Amino acid sequence: MEMNNALKEILLSEEKIKSMVDGLAEQINKDYAGKKLFVIIILKGSFVFAADLVRKINLPLELDFMVVSSYGSGSQSSGIVKIVKDLNESIKGKNVLIIEDILDSGITLSNLMEVLKVRQPESLEICTLLNKPERRKTHVDAKYIGCDIPDEFIVGYGLDYDEKYRNLPYIGVLKEEIYK
Ligand code: IMP
Ligand code: MG
């Protein structure tokens, strides 16, 4: 497949992503064996990853979506988080796993964890496909991480720049002239 011309390089190929997803599912299947899972998919970015991951999880599972906005459409998180769409049901007493596309500053997930903890789930963990450790501004414990990536703006496999490129089947580094 030809690389989209807004990209500088392909960081993670379809094959590489698939093996990361398989690895994460294997850990989750093992850790939650004998339990029921309640999966929270954070829209929009996680929809592709979540669709692939949940199909590899062989446990009884329910899921719901949340939309969390950190205001603004650019490549920087503003630091303020707003719940745009909340869950439709209670998570009290449930084993909750949050599925996120990328952990960047950590502001979105650390805020969300605080909000969800108050609702008294039995357990609450994070599964993120990607992690940018250099960018962290606040502590977040993510139990499941697909891989660490360098501090570059990436798109594809659900991740966007200004709502574009979510449909690319691989993950690539956006050319700087596109967002600078
Ligand atoms: P955080 O609150 O800074 O951790 O931001 C997390 C959210 O920012 C993710 O769910 C993404 O929607 C977005 N984000 C962070 N880094 C990137 C990137 O490199 N490409 C696309 N979206 C990103
Ligand atoms: Mg985004």
Side-chain angles (χ1 to χ4, degrees):
M1 184 187 292
E2 233 168 83
M3 182 172 76
N4 185 291
N5 62 20
L7 300 183
K8 200 160 73 176
E9 58 170 319
I10 293 178
L11 189 66
L12 300 165
S13 66
E14 287 186 70
E15 294 70 25
K16 173 68 187 160
I17 295 169
K18 189 181 176 303
S19 80
M20 285 160 56
V21 172
D22 288 349
L24 290 167
E26 201 176 290
Q27 290 178 58
I28 292 164
N29 285 330
K30 198 170 82 195
D31 292 354
Y32 291 89
K35 294 181 179 162
K36 280 196 286 194
L37 257 188
F38 188 90
V39 167
I40 300 179
I41 299 166
I42 310 299
L43 296 176
K44 300 173 191 171
S46 306
F47 83 107
V48 180
F49 170 45
D52 284 345
L53 183 68
V54 296
R55 284 180 291 174
K56 298 283 175 179
I57 296 178
N58 55 27
L59 305 163
L61 178 155
E62 289 175 24
L63 63 84
D64 200 358
F65 302 99
M66 284 185 93
V67 179
V68 190
S69 144
S70 51
Y71 296 99
S73 65
S75 60
Q76 296 288 319
S77 183
S78 67
I80 314 158
V81 170
K82 181 175 77 170
I83 294 179
V84 179
K85 187 227 166 276
D86 207 336
L87 302 170
N88 290 328
E89 52 190 301
S90 167
I91 55 168
K92 191 169 179 179
K94 296 181 181 171
N95 292 302
V96 177
L97 181 65
I98 300 173
I99 301 189
E100 179 61 303
D101 50 1
I102 185 166
L103 189 47
D104 186 42
S105 72
I107 291 166
T108 309
L109 281 180
S110 69
N111 279 278
L112 188 62
M113 288 290 272
E114 292 315 308
V115 169
L116 295 176
K117 269 179 200 159
V118 174
R119 302 181 187 181
Q120 300 175 282
E122 168 74 21
S123 65
L124 180 63
E125 299 293 351
I126 293 169
C127 175
T128 183
L129 180 67
L130 305 169
N131 180 36
K132 278 187 199 169
E134 290 163 52
R135 298 257 306 168
R136 198 75 85 253
K137 292 205 185 86
T138 175
H139 178 78
V140 181
D141 262 324
K143 185 162 185 186
Y144 306 99
I145 295 177
C147 76
D148 287 355
I149 60 166
D151 180 13
E152 284 183 294
F153 199 80
I154 51 122
V155 294
Y157 198 67
L159 287 140
D160 73 306
Y161 172 68
D162 213 6
E163 296 303 325
K164 293 183 284 283
Y165 316 113
R166 293 192 196 276
N167 56 321
L168 300 178
Y170 47 77
I171 292 171
V173 179
L174 197 63
K175 284 180 184 161
E176 284 180 12
E177 67 243 40
I178 308 272
Y179 63 92
K180 285 266 158 76

